[in-house]
Amino acid sequence: MHKDCEYILLDESKIKELVLRLSSDISNDYKGKKLLLVGLLKGSAVFISDLMREISLDIQVDFMCVSSYGRSTVSSGDVKIIKDVTTSLKGFDVLIVEDIVDSGNTLKYIKEYLQSKGTESVKICSLLSKPSRREAHVDIDYLGSEISDEFVVGYGLDFDERYRNLPYIGVLKTSVYS
Ligand code: IMP
Ligand code: MG
């Protein structure tokens, strides 16, 4: 385990189990639909790579990049689109793929934005959720796991751009950011 982690919250086999459950639900629900996965960079990069390879349908994949927290561990609530999708969205059933829902501000904004682009439907798939920190209401249609209010890193999740490459999800020691 990385020395900056307090403990491992989800190990590789547990993550795999979550990904398989989600991909199986998605594969059942989107049969016959025109599914576009939209991954939110950079946090969901690892998750969406595993998820898309387990979906047994013809799908398309695109990415958006929205403003992040920088060196802080709390959201400003002020969302900016840094990179938009390049797919023409009309007629697509869009599934936003996110690493973690915290305040919910990012997803509320992005969902409304994608709904305004002539999409057939817009739903949300997130690996993790911290319900105790919610400010904006968002329905998470496909959720891997709820977690308590701790700052986690690994499997794509960062603190100050570090730790994304850890293959597990660990709780970051508070001494690293306080
Ligand atoms: P929200 O708008 O507050 O829901 O922000 C969600 C985003 O904050 C996620 O996509 C992550 O990039 C980041 N985030 C929230 N909690 C954590 C965490 O525990 N570790 C790493 N990133 C986090
Ligand atoms: Mg993110």
Side-chain angles (χ1 to χ4, degrees), residues 40-44 66-68 98-100 106 156-158 164:
L40 301 190
L41 295 172
K42 304 171 198 170
S44 74
V66 300
S67 54
S68 70
E98 176 63 308
D99 51 0
I100 186 166
T106 307
L157 291 139
D158 74 308
R164 292 194 197 275

PDB file of all heavy atoms in Angstrom, residues 40-44 66-68 98-100 106 156-158 164, ligand 2:
ATOM      1  N   LEU A  40     -16.111  11.589 -17.636  1.00  0.00           N
ATOM      2  CA  LEU A  40     -15.624  12.889 -17.164  1.00  0.00           C
ATOM      3  C   LEU A  40     -14.158  12.746 -16.770  1.00  0.00           C
ATOM      4  O   LEU A  40     -13.813  11.981 -15.863  1.00  0.00           O
ATOM      5  CB  LEU A  40     -16.467  13.392 -15.983  1.00  0.00           C
ATOM      6  CG  LEU A  40     -17.966  13.577 -16.257  1.00  0.00           C
ATOM      7  CD1 LEU A  40     -18.642  14.302 -15.099  1.00  0.00           C
ATOM      8  CD2 LEU A  40     -18.209  14.373 -17.551  1.00  0.00           C
ATOM      9  N   LEU A  41     -13.316  13.450 -17.505  1.00  0.00           N
ATOM     10  CA  LEU A  41     -11.871  13.404 -17.276  1.00  0.00           C
ATOM     11  C   LEU A  41     -11.482  14.274 -16.083  1.00  0.00           C
ATOM     12  O   LEU A  41     -12.161  15.251 -15.811  1.00  0.00           O
ATOM     13  CB  LEU A  41     -11.129  13.911 -18.525  1.00  0.00           C
ATOM     14  CG  LEU A  41     -11.315  13.023 -19.772  1.00  0.00           C
ATOM     15  CD1 LEU A  41     -10.722  13.713 -21.004  1.00  0.00           C
ATOM     16  CD2 LEU A  41     -10.678  11.669 -19.561  1.00  0.00           C
ATOM     17  N   LYS A  42     -10.393  13.955 -15.370  1.00  0.00           N
ATOM     18  CA  LYS A  42      -9.583  12.792 -15.673  1.00  0.00           C
ATOM     19  C   LYS A  42      -9.974  11.616 -14.787  1.00  0.00           C
ATOM     20  O   LYS A  42      -9.573  10.481 -15.026  1.00  0.00           O
ATOM     21  CB  LYS A  42      -8.095  13.126 -15.411  1.00  0.00           C
ATOM     22  CG  LYS A  42      -7.573  14.318 -16.158  1.00  0.00           C
ATOM     23  CD  LYS A  42      -6.167  14.669 -15.645  1.00  0.00           C
ATOM     24  CE  LYS A  42      -5.790  16.077 -16.039  1.00  0.00           C
ATOM     25  NZ  LYS A  42      -4.551  16.508 -15.346  1.00  0.00           N
ATOM     26  N   GLY A  43     -10.737  11.925 -13.741  1.00  0.00           N
ATOM     27  CA  GLY A  43     -11.007  10.940 -12.689  1.00  0.00           C
ATOM     28  C   GLY A  43     -11.606   9.627 -13.137  1.00  0.00           C
ATOM     29  O   GLY A  43     -11.338   8.580 -12.560  1.00  0.00           O
ATOM     30  N   SER A  44     -12.479   9.665 -14.194  1.00  0.00           N
ATOM     31  CA  SER A  44     -13.176   8.439 -14.573  1.00  0.00           C
ATOM     32  C   SER A  44     -12.418   7.620 -15.617  1.00  0.00           C
ATOM     33  O   SER A  44     -12.926   6.594 -16.083  1.00  0.00           O
ATOM     34  CB  SER A  44     -14.575   8.774 -15.096  1.00  0.00           C
ATOM     35  OG  SER A  44     -14.486   9.344 -16.384  1.00  0.00           O
ATOM     36  N   VAL A  66     -14.165  18.754 -17.068  1.00  0.00           N
ATOM     37  CA  VAL A  66     -14.724  19.892 -16.347  1.00  0.00           C
ATOM     38  C   VAL A  66     -13.759  20.322 -15.253  1.00  0.00           C
ATOM     39  O   VAL A  66     -12.902  19.553 -14.843  1.00  0.00           O
ATOM     40  CB  VAL A  66     -16.126  19.559 -15.773  1.00  0.00           C
ATOM     41  CG1 VAL A  66     -17.084  19.197 -16.893  1.00  0.00           C
ATOM     42  CG2 VAL A  66     -16.057  18.428 -14.771  1.00  0.00           C
ATOM     43  N   SER A  67     -13.924  21.559 -14.802  1.00  0.00           N
ATOM     44  CA  SER A  67     -12.982  22.105 -13.828  1.00  0.00           C
ATOM     45  C   SER A  67     -12.985  21.284 -12.544  1.00  0.00           C
ATOM     46  O   SER A  67     -14.009  20.775 -12.112  1.00  0.00           O
ATOM     47  CB  SER A  67     -13.355  23.545 -13.502  1.00  0.00           C
ATOM     48  OG  SER A  67     -14.693  23.597 -13.086  1.00  0.00           O
ATOM     49  N   SER A  68     -11.800  21.141 -11.959  1.00  0.00           N
ATOM     50  CA  SER A  68     -11.663  20.320 -10.752  1.00  0.00           C
ATOM     51  C   SER A  68     -11.334  21.184  -9.549  1.00  0.00           C
ATOM     52  O   SER A  68     -11.341  22.401  -9.614  1.00  0.00           O
ATOM     53  CB  SER A  68     -10.589  19.275 -10.975  1.00  0.00           C
ATOM     54  OG  SER A  68      -9.344  19.912 -11.030  1.00  0.00           O
ATOM     55  N   GLU A  98     -18.808   8.785 -14.165  1.00  0.00           N
ATOM     56  CA  GLU A  98     -18.076   9.627 -13.203  1.00  0.00           C
ATOM     57  C   GLU A  98     -17.391   8.737 -12.163  1.00  0.00           C
ATOM     58  O   GLU A  98     -17.823   7.616 -11.903  1.00  0.00           O
ATOM     59  CB  GLU A  98     -19.094  10.592 -12.557  1.00  0.00           C
ATOM     60  CG  GLU A  98     -18.574  11.477 -11.466  1.00  0.00           C
ATOM     61  CD  GLU A  98     -17.515  12.462 -11.892  1.00  0.00           C
ATOM     62  OE1 GLU A  98     -16.522  12.032 -12.512  1.00  0.00           O
ATOM     63  OE2 GLU A  98     -17.634  13.657 -11.570  1.00  0.00           O
ATOM     64  N   ASP A  99     -16.314   9.245 -11.596  1.00  0.00           N
ATOM     65  CA  ASP A  99     -15.615   8.478 -10.567  1.00  0.00           C
ATOM     66  C   ASP A  99     -16.334   8.543  -9.220  1.00  0.00           C
ATOM     67  O   ASP A  99     -16.557   7.539  -8.571  1.00  0.00           O
ATOM     68  CB  ASP A  99     -14.150   8.958 -10.428  1.00  0.00           C
ATOM     69  CG  ASP A  99     -14.018  10.473 -10.268  1.00  0.00           C
ATOM     70  OD1 ASP A  99     -15.048  11.191 -10.256  1.00  0.00           O
ATOM     71  OD2 ASP A  99     -12.877  10.960 -10.167  1.00  0.00           O
ATOM     72  N   ILE A 100     -16.713   9.771  -8.821  1.00  0.00           N
ATOM     73  CA  ILE A 100     -17.314   9.931  -7.489  1.00  0.00           C
ATOM     74  C   ILE A 100     -18.237  11.153  -7.475  1.00  0.00           C
ATOM     75  O   ILE A 100     -17.906  12.185  -8.056  1.00  0.00           O
ATOM     76  CB  ILE A 100     -16.200  10.033  -6.408  1.00  0.00           C
ATOM     77  CG1 ILE A 100     -16.786  10.057  -4.992  1.00  0.00           C
ATOM     78  CG2 ILE A 100     -15.289  11.214  -6.619  1.00  0.00           C
ATOM     79  CD1 ILE A 100     -15.747   9.807  -3.902  1.00  0.00           C
ATOM     80  N   THR A 106     -21.165  19.141  -9.880  1.00  0.00           N
ATOM     81  CA  THR A 106     -20.623  18.872 -11.213  1.00  0.00           C
ATOM     82  C   THR A 106     -21.653  18.140 -12.067  1.00  0.00           C
ATOM     83  O   THR A 106     -21.959  18.554 -13.188  1.00  0.00           O
ATOM     84  CB  THR A 106     -19.347  17.995 -11.109  1.00  0.00           C
ATOM     85  OG1 THR A 106     -18.431  18.609 -10.205  1.00  0.00           O
ATOM     86  CG2 THR A 106     -18.697  17.814 -12.469  1.00  0.00           C
ATOM     87  N   GLY A 156      -7.859   6.114 -10.671  1.00  0.00           N
ATOM     88  CA  GLY A 156      -8.254   7.327 -11.391  1.00  0.00           C
ATOM     89  C   GLY A 156      -8.438   8.540 -10.510  1.00  0.00           C
ATOM     90  O   GLY A 156      -8.284   9.675 -10.959  1.00  0.00           O
ATOM     91  N   LEU A 157      -8.769   8.330  -9.245  1.00  0.00           N
ATOM     92  CA  LEU A 157      -9.016   9.462  -8.342  1.00  0.00           C
ATOM     93  C   LEU A 157      -7.709  10.048  -7.833  1.00  0.00           C
ATOM     94  O   LEU A 157      -6.785   9.314  -7.464  1.00  0.00           O
ATOM     95  CB  LEU A 157      -9.857   9.000  -7.149  1.00  0.00           C
ATOM     96  CG  LEU A 157     -11.295   8.621  -7.476  1.00  0.00           C
ATOM     97  CD1 LEU A 157     -11.724   7.379  -6.722  1.00  0.00           C
ATOM     98  CD2 LEU A 157     -12.202   9.782  -7.152  1.00  0.00           C
ATOM     99  N   ASP A 158      -7.667  11.383  -7.788  1.00  0.00           N
ATOM    100  CA  ASP A 158      -6.418  12.050  -7.410  1.00  0.00           C
ATOM    101  C   ASP A 158      -6.575  12.943  -6.203  1.00  0.00           C
ATOM    102  O   ASP A 158      -7.684  13.326  -5.818  1.00  0.00           O
ATOM    103  CB  ASP A 158      -5.935  12.936  -8.558  1.00  0.00           C
ATOM    104  CG  ASP A 158      -6.775  14.212  -8.680  1.00  0.00           C
ATOM    105  OD1 ASP A 158      -8.027  14.091  -8.749  1.00  0.00           O
ATOM    106  OD2 ASP A 158      -6.208  15.320  -8.664  1.00  0.00           O
ATOM    107  N   ARG A 164      -3.390   8.732  -9.066  1.00  0.00           N
ATOM    108  CA  ARG A 164      -4.384   8.185 -10.003  1.00  0.00           C
ATOM    109  C   ARG A 164      -4.052   6.762 -10.432  1.00  0.00           C
ATOM    110  O   ARG A 164      -4.938   5.990 -10.771  1.00  0.00           O
ATOM    111  CB  ARG A 164      -4.460   9.055 -11.266  1.00  0.00           C
ATOM    112  CG  ARG A 164      -5.031  10.447 -11.054  1.00  0.00           C
ATOM    113  CD  ARG A 164      -5.360  11.057 -12.411  1.00  0.00           C
ATOM    114  NE  ARG A 164      -5.531  12.510 -12.358  1.00  0.00           N
ATOM    115  CZ  ARG A 164      -6.683  13.118 -12.044  1.00  0.00           C
ATOM    116  NH1 ARG A 164      -7.741  12.404 -11.758  1.00  0.00           N
ATOM    117  NH2 ARG A 164      -6.766  14.437 -12.035  1.00  0.00           N
TER     118      ARG A 164
HETATM  119 MG    MG B   2     -13.818  13.957 -11.436  1.00  0.00          MG
END
